[in-house]
Amino acid sequence: METEAVAKESDALDPADVLGDLESLDALDAEIERVRHREEQRLVKLARKAGYFHRRMKNAEILGLFRDPLQEVPKRPSTLARLETRRDLLFAGPRTRNARRKALLGGFVVAQCRLKPDVHAALVPDIREFLWSHRNEDVGARNVRALAGFLADPGDKGLSAPPTISMKARKERTHRLILLGAWVLARREHLKELRDLVSAELVGFLEQVQRVDRHKALLKDLLDQA
């Protein structure tokens, strides 16, 4: 019974359904940056008003100005602190983390295939075989159709960044990236070309995208084996 329950839960977590989680996290990150910038500007304005910039102070003295009053008079968490707590809780969810891992790895595969057509040609047969191997033939067929454009052409626009106003395009792109990421996780230990690619190029790819530390943490297991 427990095995059946796990299988049903797995079937319910269709990759296309995670878009809301991904978008929620991105929106929360944007709001955190907005609030942080607002509070930093507020602090600078008040410090200027108090004459802070006309006094020479050591770092320890500056820290004391902020740290000591905060310890003496407990305050409610700020809006920024509450937003960061929400972000941490959402990001920590296993479903969101798993989806982000796969989408990030999918983006890595697309980037490498576009840079190196020979890599695309070498990997496509295994990707296609992996998609067809799904235990449900109908799902396998749908997955192959979803990535048909990429399998034929690494420059397929279906995996390019879609317009922000197009919810459908973003959802479909996320689904395709997650499928490719699932293939990486399933095949990286068995396919030498993929294993070598991850070892040689994944770190460089991650250092070119935003939120480098977070993405490296998500893929720490892969990086440790590189």
Side-chain angles (χ1 to χ4, degrees), residues 152-178:
D153 177 11
D156 176 53
K157 292 183 179 180
L159 282 164
S160 299
T164 56
I165 59 172
S166 175
M167 177 67 72
K168 181 180 179 182
R170 282 191 291 175
K171 183 174 182 178
E172 291 174 348
R173 176 176 182 259
T174 299
H175 178 50
R176 294 181 183 115
L177 290 175
I178 288 174

Side-chain angles (χ1 to χ4, degrees), residues 119-140:
V119 168
H120 177 259
L123 298 182
V124 159
D126 196 80
I127 296 174
R128 183 179 284 109
E129 180 181 342
F130 170 77
L131 296 173
W132 276 119
S133 69
H134 195 283
R135 63 181 180 275
N136 184 311
E137 291 185 6
D138 291 338
V139 174

Side-chain angles (χ1 to χ4, degrees), residues 82-111:
R82 293 197 300 272
L83 287 170
E84 289 177 336
T85 298
R86 279 182 57 198
R87 191 263 308 280
D88 291 343
L89 290 173
L90 180 59
F91 183 68
R95 180 181 175 187
T96 302
R97 289 178 62 84
N98 188 44
R100 280 189 166 272
R101 274 167 57 85
K102 291 177 181 177
L104 190 57
L105 288 170
F108 166 70
V109 171
V110 173

Side-chain angles (χ1 to χ4, degrees), residues 165-206:
I165 59 172
S166 175
M167 177 67 72
K168 181 180 179 182
R170 282 191 291 175
K171 183 174 182 178
E172 291 174 348
R173 176 176 182 259
T174 299
H175 178 50
R176 294 181 183 115
L177 290 175
I178 288 174
L179 287 174
L180 285 172
W183 166 74
V184 174
L185 292 175
R187 296 292 294 154
R188 64 190 175 85
E189 295 292 340
H190 309 286
L191 188 64
K192 184 179 185 301
E193 294 88 345
L194 178 58
R195 186 170 64 249
D196 291 346
L197 192 68
V198 169
S199 178
E201 305 292 349
L202 183 57
V203 171
F205 169 76
L206 295 177

